[in-house]
Amino acid sequence: MTELIRDTLFGGLVRLVSRGKYLQWEEERNPELWKKFVNESKSARMAHHGTTEDNGESIHGLGGVRTREDGFTEPLSDPEKERELESDSSSDAHVGQGINAASGVKVDPEKGRDLSVIDWYGDRDPEVSRCGGLSTLCEADETNQNPMNWSLTKKFFVTFQICLLTFSIYIGSAIYSAGLMDVSQEFHISQVAGDLGLTLFVAGYGVGPMIWAPMSEIPAFGRMPIYMATLFVFVLLQLPTGYAVNLGMLLAFRFITGFVGSPCLATGGASIADMYKPSKRAYGIAIWGISAVCGPVMGPLVGGFAAQAKGWRWTIWELAWLSGFCFVFLFFFFPETSSANILYRRTMRMRKLTGNQKLTCEPMLMGEHMTGKDIAMMTLVKPITLNFWEPMVLLLNLYIALIYGLLYIWFESFPLVFIEVYGFSLGLEGLSFIGILIGAFITIPPYFAWCHYYLEPRFNSNGEVKPELRLQPAFVGGFAIPICLFWFGWSAGHEHWIMPVIGSAWFSVGAFLLFSAVLNYLPDAYPESAASVLAGNDLMRSSFGAGYAYTQVTAATAEQC
């Protein structure tokens, strides 16, 4: 539990207030551990040709900082230096001017850089057998810091928190719709104007990830601070939303709350990818997708009874309670999942402890030449270019956007069918969405079976698979959507109310398979830009969802007139 809490927002505040006395990292208790976290091979390449990538050339030196301490040496290109090393018991004495201390390799005066590269340390490290008494400590620290090496229990717990966060934000769109008629009556406006509260919220959480998601890819920021800061503002903004005195105030804050609450709607998938290797990622994305489905489905159910009994403002208070609970829970238990940020902070701690400014890590090397313009391009331009200039991304996003738009325009028909035709109350009308939720849960077992028996065996020894194989479930999902719409339209008003509810389950079958396929394909096809490419997907589908929902209400109102 200490390992989990230490990297949370609460753990950070405890460390700040106690000035590092409590919840210390291993390297703070033993500053010499920096030597165990140095990647000697990457440091040697930095000294030899200025990058951490292997250029195929043979590199010789005195031996790395760990191999020198434990009596191991690498072959030297100079026999005279070999004899000199053998005649002295302390090899560190020979690491002087022009020699990289971490690797023992001579720094190339033209291309090389004298830096010590901090990296992960664990059972994959080829030097693990040479660590002596500290190896157990290092391996334990690695297991708890590298998200890919976390225990399954910790991965499942963090995945649950991401799903809770996603549900707490997504429900904010549909929960408002339950009080739409009350909004229209209180502010003396048409249903079309009142529906802008739903439309602008969806538009806000479509635009937001275009900024928040790329920011989470910057090593100095990471994902957890962005999640927590925006969620805190989201909770606070429910107060002026719930106390709105006119339509303009209500609509303005609905858009802003959607905007600030949006990071998890795109970055959530990237956080899942941080923890699970590619062959297991589909399971995590699928569960995260269920939480996204639960939001709009449970919104009318949760908000319907409150709006019926207390009015539309109570739907906002319910959203404030849920998101407030989510913030408190994540405050204590949600750790950082970005491996780049974890390495960055580890390196900064070791620099402070040792005073050695030559310590660096690959995320630092990637970002050290980034200017303000580069960050702006990465934050504002990158998601847009990926979304519109990559044909495959554009076409998939358009298709997912169409499905998302159909979802919202179809949701607007539920009050017409179940309240006006079948005579449901506002609260009971929310129960008609349960068929969609059940359909999603029914789809999970066969999808997981397909992943286990078909997809996983096709991964190669490097953990790679053709991204296009991820898209095969979409072939089934594509047929399920028209089946749902035909079934629902054919049975509504002509058969028992259970028939359209059963028909609605087909939509979640299709949406689940389509979303799981596309949201797994995009990070595989663009692994270095997972958050940005998912942000583009969120922008496209949210734009269609907002536009379709508003168009349907406008058309329905015009028809009534």
Side-chain angles (χ1 to χ4, degrees):
M1 183 60 71
T2 301
E3 298 294 337
L4 174 66
I5 294 177
R6 183 172 56 188
D7 204 25
T8 64
L9 184 57
F10 171 72
L13 290 177
V14 169
R15 287 172 43 79
L16 179 64
V17 172
S18 66
R19 297 183 179 181
K21 182 179 179 181
Y22 299 108
L23 299 178
Q24 291 183 329
W25 298 95
E26 279 77 5
E27 58 267 22
E28 291 175 324
R29 292 193 288 268
N30 182 5
E32 289 300 308
L33 277 180
W34 75 269
K35 298 176 182 178
K36 309 302 177 183
F37 292 120
V38 166
N39 188 307
E40 298 178 358
S41 299
K42 292 180 179 179
S43 300
R45 294 173 197 144
M46 286 297 300
H48 184 261
H49 52 265
T51 70
T52 59
E53 297 179 1
D54 188 357
N55 64 357
E57 297 182 21
S58 178
I59 303 175
H60 302 283
L62 295 174
V65 63
R66 293 198 299 273
T67 56
R68 293 196 305 273
E69 286 186 349
D70 295 331
F72 293 88
T73 59
E74 300 293 332
L76 301 174
S77 57
D78 188 342
E80 182 177 344
K81 286 186 178 180
E82 286 184 347
R83 291 191 295 271
E84 182 182 356
L85 178 61
E86 292 172 355
S87 66
D88 196 310
S89 60
S90 177
S91 61
D92 278 341
H94 300 283
V95 182
Q97 189 68 26
I99 301 295
N100 178 254
S103 62
V105 171
K106 183 178 180 180
V107 180
D108 187 288
E110 295 182 359
K111 299 180 294 182
R113 300 181 63 186
D114 187 11
L115 296 172
S116 301
V117 181
I118 300 296
D119 204 355
W120 301 118
Y121 184 87
D123 55 8
R124 295 191 186 93
D125 191 329
E127 304 294 337
V128 68
S129 61
R130 304 180 182 179
C131 289
L134 290 173
S135 61
T136 302
L137 177 61
C138 292
E139 288 177 19
D141 181 70
E142 164 70 2
T143 301
N144 285 283
Q145 287 201 51
N146 186 352
M148 284 290 183
N149 289 346
W150 285 349
S151 66
L152 279 179
T153 302
K154 185 174 182 180
K155 288 182 180 181
F156 290 164
F157 185 58
V158 175
T159 301
F160 163 75
Q161 293 182 77
I162 295 172
C163 292
L164 175 62
L165 175 58
T166 302
F167 173 79
S168 301
I169 302 299
Y170 254 122
I171 199 175
S173 61
I175 201 172
Y176 167 85
S177 63
L180 181 58
M181 296 301 297
D182 196 42
V183 170
S184 301
Q185 293 174 5
E186 179 173 334
F187 294 128
H188 306 291
I189 57 174
S190 66
Q191 187 177 351
V192 174
D195 194 65
L196 283 171
L198 168 63
T199 301
L200 291 176
F201 185 89
V202 176
Y205 73 57
V207 175
M210 302 298 285
I211 295 177
W212 306 123
M215 283 180 64
S216 73
E217 293 178 336
I218 299 174
F221 294 157
R223 308 200 196 282
M224 185 269 288
I226 293 176
Y227 283 144
M228 299 306 297
T230 55
L231 179 59
F232 179 71
V233 176
F234 180 86
V235 175
L236 290 182
L237 289 178
Q238 300 311 315
L239 293 175
T241 305
Y243 285 116
V245 296
N246 55 57
L247 179 63
M249 181 178 177
L250 173 64
L251 297 183
F253 281 107
R254 283 289 289 174
F255 175 80
I256 297 172
T257 53
F259 179 82
V260 299
S262 62
C264 64
L265 307 184
T267 313
S271 294
I272 298 292
D274 289 337
M275 297 183 289
Y276 297 93
K277 60 184 180 180
S279 61
K280 302 295 184 182
R281 185 191 305 148
Y283 303 103
I285 293 289
I287 298 300
W288 176 60
I290 289 293
S291 68
V293 172
C294 288
V297 170
M298 297 298 291
L301 175 60
V302 174
F305 289 104
Q308 182 178 340
K310 295 290 186 178
W312 71 270
R313 297 182 190 275
W314 274 78
T315 63
I316 305 300
W317 301 144
E318 286 180 322
L319 181 58
W321 298 333
L322 176 60
S323 57
F325 167 78
C326 180
F327 175 80
V328 173
F329 193 83
L330 268 62
F331 175 80
F332 288 103
F333 298 113
F334 188 74
E336 179 59 63
T337 64
S338 169
S339 59
N341 176 261
I342 294 171
L343 272 180
Y344 178 90
R345 288 185 292 117
R346 170 187 281 182
T347 305
M348 295 301 292
R349 285 195 303 271
M350 292 185 177
R351 281 186 176 184
K352 182 179 179 180
L353 289 168
T354 64
N356 183 1
Q357 297 303 308
K358 292 184 179 180
L359 297 178
T360 188
C361 60
E362 288 184 289
M364 279 186 174
L365 294 172
M366 294 174 60
E368 64 183 1
H369 298 300
M370 291 185 66
T371 63
K373 178 182 178 181
D374 294 329
I375 294 176
M377 291 289 289
M378 179 179 177
T379 303
L380 302 175
V381 179
K382 186 178 180 180
I384 297 176
T385 55
L386 282 173
N387 196 44
F388 292 102
W389 290 3
E390 293 288 339
M392 191 64 178
V393 176
L394 176 62
L395 293 174
L396 286 176
N397 286 352
L398 282 173
Y399 186 50
I400 292 297
L402 173 64
I403 302 304
Y404 203 71
L406 287 175
L407 175 67
Y408 273 93
I409 198 172
W410 177 52
F411 272 12
E412 297 289 346
S413 68
F414 274 63
L416 301 176
V417 171
F418 292 99
I419 294 180
E420 296 185 14
V421 176
Y422 290 109
F424 283 23
S425 66
L426 182 60
L428 289 177
E429 184 260 338
L431 292 172
S432 63
F433 291 87
I434 294 298
I436 302 174
L437 186 62
I438 293 175
F441 283 109
I442 291 176
T443 312
I444 290 179
Y447 177 72
F448 278 12
W450 176 84
C451 290
H452 181 73
Y453 292 107
Y454 178 83
L455 185 62
E456 282 194 51
R458 283 162 173 75
F459 280 82
N460 60 25
S461 58
N462 295 323
E464 299 171 342
V465 71
K466 290 183 178 179
E468 290 73 20
L469 290 178
R470 302 274 197 184
L471 296 175
Q472 292 185 6
F475 300 152
V476 178
F479 284 100
I481 300 298
I483 290 174
C484 164
L485 297 178
F486 177 80
W487 188 320
F488 189 89
W490 164 74
S491 61
H494 302 288
E495 302 292 338
H496 189 273
W497 60 264
I498 196 63
M499 291 303 293
V501 171
I502 295 174
S504 67
W506 283 96
F507 198 99
S508 54
V509 173
F512 176 85
L513 294 175
L514 288 167
F515 277 61
S516 295
V518 172
L519 296 182
N520 275 293
Y521 167 82
L522 292 176
D524 265 10
Y526 302 89
E528 301 299 325
S529 307
S532 293
V533 74
L534 291 174
N537 178 273
D538 184 72
L539 172 67
M540 189 75 78
R541 69 175 187 260
S542 298
S543 300
F544 273 59
Y548 273 45
Y550 188 71
T551 300
Q552 197 278 339
V553 173
T554 304
T557 304
E559 184 176 346
Q560 292 174 2
C561 295

